[in-house]
Amino acid sequence: MYIKYSDVLYDSVVDDDGLNLLTKSEEKANKSFNKTTERYYKVIEETDPNIQDIYDVKFYIKWDSKLKNVITKWRIHSWDYFSEGSVNLCHEGHLPGWTIVEKGLSETCIDAEQIEGYSVEYKYIVKDGKKLDEPLIEEREVTRQEFEEIMETYDNI
């Protein structure tokens, strides 16, 4: 999950101590943050008035493999997406022309030119400082450039 806190974007996790703001960026961490070997963190209350948004982000591409019973909207992670725009996709089962990764799992890599569309989905549980009764899901189609910029934003928190 991600959290927008006092106009700054952080990664977040809930543990026994409460809601943790996490960042690798020293610039985002003030004196109220603690430091581990890899990250800075700060524990806050879920009712902290500086919380603006708490949400999750999912990345999707559209690609039709032309295979029967295979999806055309693929959720991907940053580690599946390469700088030249190619994408590594995995699917349950053994698909023709795909590499078998392990029993019941195949993968293939497609070039950027094969991708038919890009979208980003945001699932809010807190929006504009208000805790929502039901999650709010907003999905928007974006260009390849926007997709890459948004993905980079969340990789570099």
Side-chain angles (χ1 to χ4, degrees), residues 14-20 41 43-45:
V14 177
D15 64 15
D16 293 339
D17 295 328
L19 181 60
N20 288 265
Y41 71 95
V43 179
I44 62 170
E45 297 292 325

Side-chain angles (χ1 to χ4, degrees), residues 63-71 74 89-108:
W63 175 67
D64 188 354
S65 67
K66 310 288 192 261
L67 296 172
K68 187 177 179 180
N69 299 323
V70 175
I71 61 174
W74 299 82
L89 301 175
C90 292
H91 193 279
E92 289 183 7
H94 293 216
L95 301 177
W98 291 45
T99 304
I100 297 171
V101 179
E102 60 185 51
K103 184 177 180 180
L105 185 64
S106 299
E107 73 177 5
T108 192

Side-chain angles (χ1 to χ4, degrees), residues 51-55 122 124-132 136 138:
I51 296 173
Q52 294 161 283
D53 299 324
I54 300 177
Y55 60 97
Y122 300 89
Y124 292 91
I125 58 172
V126 174
K127 177 90 167 127
D128 300 325
K130 295 179 182 149
K131 185 171 172 71
L132 305 173
L136 171 65
E138 295 179 353

Side-chain angles (χ1 to χ4, degrees), residues 134-156:
E134 296 289 327
L136 171 65
I137 297 174
E138 295 179 353
E139 184 172 354
R140 63 185 187 112
E141 292 187 13
V142 295
T143 65
R144 175 181 168 187
Q145 181 179 347
E146 291 171 313
F147 186 82
E148 290 174 353
E149 289 170 358
I150 295 167
M151 188 175 280
E152 186 175 325
T153 296
Y154 290 98
D155 274 351
N156 293 321

Side-chain angles (χ1 to χ4, degrees), residues 30-119:
N30 59 34
K31 291 181 181 189
S32 64
F33 280 72
N34 297 306
K35 187 174 191 302
T36 66
T37 54
E38 296 179 16
R39 292 185 176 207
Y40 296 89
Y41 71 95
K42 176 181 178 176
V43 179
I44 62 170
E45 297 292 325
E46 291 184 23
T47 57
D48 190 307
N50 294 310
I51 296 173
Q52 294 161 283
D53 299 324
I54 300 177
Y55 60 97
D56 196 13
V57 177
K58 294 179 183 175
F59 298 92
Y60 295 95
I61 63 157
K62 183 178 178 186
W63 175 67
D64 188 354
S65 67
K66 310 288 192 261
L67 296 172
K68 187 177 179 180
N69 299 323
V70 175
I71 61 174
T72 58
K73 181 180 177 182
W74 299 82
R75 180 173 179 205
I76 64 165
H77 301 281
S78 59
W79 57 82
D80 298 317
Y81 192 85
F82 303 103
S83 59
E84 71 279 359
S86 62
V87 178
N88 192 57
L89 301 175
C90 292
H91 193 279
E92 289 183 7
H94 293 216
L95 301 177
W98 291 45
T99 304
I100 297 171
V101 179
E102 60 185 51
K103 184 177 180 180
L105 185 64
S106 299
E107 73 177 5
T108 192
C109 190
I110 62 170
D111 294 326
E113 297 78 35
Q114 296 175 277
I115 298 172
E116 301 164 22
Y118 301 85
S119 64

